[in-house]
Each structure stands twice: as structure tokens, then as C-alpha cells.
């Protein structure tokens, strides 16, 4: 009798849990995260993925997430459709009108830099407009279709004859390769990404990583989804997860690697403004 009663209790309490679990699984929204690099070159982009993976781990109980590797241009098209999202996007007026942005940046790093071959020492800030006008032969590489922020976007448009916009898969890695081959005089990118590329495909000549006059202290990259009911529901779940102190702490600590100790003292208040529940020196 006891064994039958125990079995009954087991069935009684297990079935509702299973039903709830199955129901929860069915009700979880589906999200396809667009990755703007090829699967075979994923290692070259691992640093820019690590912040998102912290967020993904937090929201996986709430959202079914799959990844799709596409070009930057294809990503910008697909992300406007229901079910698709993309990471590390700057806010621009045009994008704010078309897409839903996360309440907090998923990625925070030092600002965009001018990357040139030659001296590997850190150089003083460069006035990009003056540098481009110093010689009409200078050619600078950019990722076609992406935004570099309002200030740089306008400047590059004014000097469009000297700008080489590259499209297709692994565009940032290919620009680095073009710079190494002497097909470009410079490119605009994040210092952490170039450091990673250089560790995989090193430059024999070294390279310089220069601040650009007029750039903000930090660069913010957001998760974006389609401006639809589905996109808004996905973003609401992500924003909810971003309020958790544990996730804020993990992101805060991860961002520190992009800054020297001196830089971190300057930018830390800006980072903490986004993630106030994080604690320093844990």
C-alpha cells in the first residue's frame, strides 16, 4: 500500500511539472541572432561575442535562440523582419525609427580608432579630416553599410572618394588583410578587434592604433530587433534580464579588459551609469 501511495504521489506531482515544462517550452518565443561573420572565422570574432554570450545564458530559459551567419549587409536587411535580432549596433536616427533597441548596451569598449601599419606605439589623437586632406591618394577602408556614428559617418561621406567600403562576409577581417597587403592606407575599427586579428594574422610591420579627434570616450553597441510585436516581446525579456545584479556584474567586469587602468578610471562612471548594480573590485 505504501509503495502504491508513493507511486501515486510521484505521478501526481510529476505530471503537472512536466506539463508546465512542456507548456513553457512551447510558449517560448523564437529568436534568430544574426552573426556578421562566417562560421569558419568565428575565432577571429570571439571577443565581440563574449558579452552577448553572458546575456544569452541569462535569457535562454525564456527565449529559444539560434544563430545564423550572414554578411553585414544581409544582417541589416533581415533584422527588420520578425524573429531576427543583431548585436553591437550603434544608435542612429534612422535605426531608432526602424528597430527596437535594448535598454542598455550589450557591448561597451573604447572608441573607434584609426588603424595604420608601421609603428606599433600608441600615437596621439588624429584629426581624420586633416589626415585625409593631406593627400588625395590616401585610401581608408570601412565596412560598407555600417554606421560609425553620426560624426564619422558625415566625415566619411564628405571624403567619399577616398573611402573604400567593403561588403560581404568577414568584412572586418578582410579589411585587416587588405591593410596588410598595402591596398589600404588605414581602416577604422576597434582596437580590441585588431589586436585579436593581429594575434591570428600578425603584421610583420606592426601597426598603430590612434584615437580619432571628436570620438566619445566609449563606444556602445546594442541588441536590436525588428520593430514588431515579436521584436518588442523579445526585447522586453532581454531588458528584464539586464536588470539582474548578477548579469550587470558580469558585464561590468568583462568591459574592463578593453581599457588600460588609467582609461578605466575615466570611463568607469559612464559604464556604471548603465549598470548601477555592479560593484567594483569584486
Amino acid at each position: 500500500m505504501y509503495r502504491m501511495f508513493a507511486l501515486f504521489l510521484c505521478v501526481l506531482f510529476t505530471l503537472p511539472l512536466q506539463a508546465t515544462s512542456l507548456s513553457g517550452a512551447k510558449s517560448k518565443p523564437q529568436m534568430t541572432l544574426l552573426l556578421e561573420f562566417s562560421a569558419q572565422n568565428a575565432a577571429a570574432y570571439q571577443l565581440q561575442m563574449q558579452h552577448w554570450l553572458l546575456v544569452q545564458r541569462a535569457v535562454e530559459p525564456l527565449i529559444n535562440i539560434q544563430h545564423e551567419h550572414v554578411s553585414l549587409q544581409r544582417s541589416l536587411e533581415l533584422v527588420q523582419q520578425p524573429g531576427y535580432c543583431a548585436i553591437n549596433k550603434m544608435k542612429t536616427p534612422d535605426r531608432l525609427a526602424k528597430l527596437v533597441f535594448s535598454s542598455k548596451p550589450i557591448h561597451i569598449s573604447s572608441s573607434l580608432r584609426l588603424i595604420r601599419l608601421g609603428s606599433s606605439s600608441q600615437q596621439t589623437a588624429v584629426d581624420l579630416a586633416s589626415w585625409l586632406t593631406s593627400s588625395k591618394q590616401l585610401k581608408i577602408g570601412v565596412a560598407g553599410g555600417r554606421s560609425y556614428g553620426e560624426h564619422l559617418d558625415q566625415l566619411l561621406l564628405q571624403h567619399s572618394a577616398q573611402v573604400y567600403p567593403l561588403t560581404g562576409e568577414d568584412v572586418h577581417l578582410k579589411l585587416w588583410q587588405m591593410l596588410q597587403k598595402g591596398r589600404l592606407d588605414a581602416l577604422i575599427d576597434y582596437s580590441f578587434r585588431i589586436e585579436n586579428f593581429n594575434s591570428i594574422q600578425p603584421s610583420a610591420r606592426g601597426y598603430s592604433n590612434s584615437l580619432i579627434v571628436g570620438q566619445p570616450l566609449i563606444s556602445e553597441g546594442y541588441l536590436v530587433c525588428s520593430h514588431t510585436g515579436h521584436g518588442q516581446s523579445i526585447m522586453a525579456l532581454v531588458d528584464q534580464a539586464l536588470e539582474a545584479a548578477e548579469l550587470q556584474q558580469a558585464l561590468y567586469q568583462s568591459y574592463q579588459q578593453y581599457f588600460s587602468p588609467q582609461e578605466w578610471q575615466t570611463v568607469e562612471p559612464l559604464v556604471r551609469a548603465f549598470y548601477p548594480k555592479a560593484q567594483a573590485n569584486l
Side-chain angles (χ1 to χ4, degrees):
M1 176 68 72
Y2 174 79
R3 292 178 62 186
M4 292 180 64
F5 181 69
L7 180 61
F8 171 75
L9 287 177
C10 181
V11 173
L12 178 65
F13 287 104
T14 302
L15 283 178
L17 286 173
Q18 290 177 335
T20 301
S21 175
L22 290 171
S23 175
K26 288 181 180 179
S27 64
K28 286 168 63 175
Q30 180 76 33
M31 166 187 160
T32 299
L33 185 72
L34 300 166
L35 303 179
E36 296 159 358
F37 52 85
S38 63
Q40 60 265 32
N41 285 315
Y45 293 84
Q46 60 184 350
L47 280 177
Q48 71 183 71
M49 280 293 292
Q50 65 180 354
H51 305 311
W52 165 252
L53 292 177
L54 291 172
V55 178
Q56 179 170 309
R57 194 174 303 124
V59 300
E60 277 180 328
L62 306 172
I63 306 171
N64 286 320
I65 302 172
Q66 64 182 22
H67 294 168
E68 183 175 336
H69 295 270
V70 296
S71 68
L72 169 62
Q73 291 69 38
R74 182 61 175 154
S75 173
L76 294 173
E77 295 171 0
L78 286 176
V79 77
Q80 299 182 56
Q81 301 178 21
Y84 291 100
C85 298
I87 53 174
N88 297 343
K89 296 304 174 193
M90 287 185 175
K91 287 184 175 180
T92 67
D94 181 61
R95 290 177 179 176
L96 286 168
K98 296 177 180 178
L99 302 169
V100 179
F101 279 72
S102 54
S103 60
K104 301 177 185 294
I106 305 298
H107 177 87
I108 295 177
S109 71
S110 54
S111 60
L112 289 161
R113 305 298 172 94
L114 185 69
I115 310 297
R116 293 172 289 181
L117 293 186
S119 171
S120 59
S121 61
Q122 183 77 21
Q123 298 186 357
T124 57
V126 173
D127 185 318
L128 188 56
S130 297
W131 182 76
L132 285 169
T133 55
S134 66
S135 171
K136 295 299 182 183
Q137 303 304 312
L138 291 172
K139 207 76 171 177
I140 187 168
V142 299
R146 73 153 288 179
S147 174
Y148 289 88
E150 186 176 359
H151 171 72
L152 283 181
D153 286 348
Q154 292 181 358
L155 191 153
L156 293 170
L157 184 62
Q158 293 169 3
H159 297 269
S160 58
Q162 294 174 264
V163 176
Y164 184 88
L166 185 65
T167 59
E169 282 192 330
D170 302 322
V171 61
H172 299 99
L173 180 59
K174 289 177 181 177
L175 284 169
W176 170 243
Q177 294 168 344
M178 290 177 67
L179 181 68
Q180 290 179 306
K181 294 175 181 178
R183 295 172 60 188
L184 297 171
D185 298 291
L187 56 89
I188 299 175
D189 211 330
Y190 296 108
S191 58
F192 76 87
R193 182 153 53 202
I194 297 302
E195 287 171 11
N196 195 35
F197 289 167
N198 191 54
S199 69
I200 298 171
Q201 298 180 7
S203 167
R205 296 173 53 194
Y207 69 92
S208 64
N209 152 19
S210 304
L211 293 164
I212 300 174
V213 172
Q215 284 298 285
L217 291 174
I218 62 173
S219 180
E220 305 157 16
Y222 293 80
L223 174 72
V224 296
C225 299
S226 61
H227 209 306
T228 61
H230 181 274
Q232 291 172 338
S233 65
I234 290 289
M235 202 62 76
L237 294 172
V238 172
D239 286 344
Q240 177 184 331
L242 288 171
E243 292 300 322
E246 182 179 359
L247 180 55
Q248 290 198 19
Q249 185 68 44
L251 290 167
Y252 173 91
Q253 291 178 315
S254 185
Y255 297 147
Q256 287 186 255
Q257 69 185 298
Y258 298 125
F259 303 92
S260 68
Q262 295 78 14
E263 287 177 321
W264 182 248
Q265 288 184 351
T266 303
V267 305
E268 193 275 345
L270 301 176
V271 177
R272 184 176 294 280
F274 289 114
Y275 293 103
K277 296 178 183 177
Q279 299 180 45
N281 303 319
L282 284 186

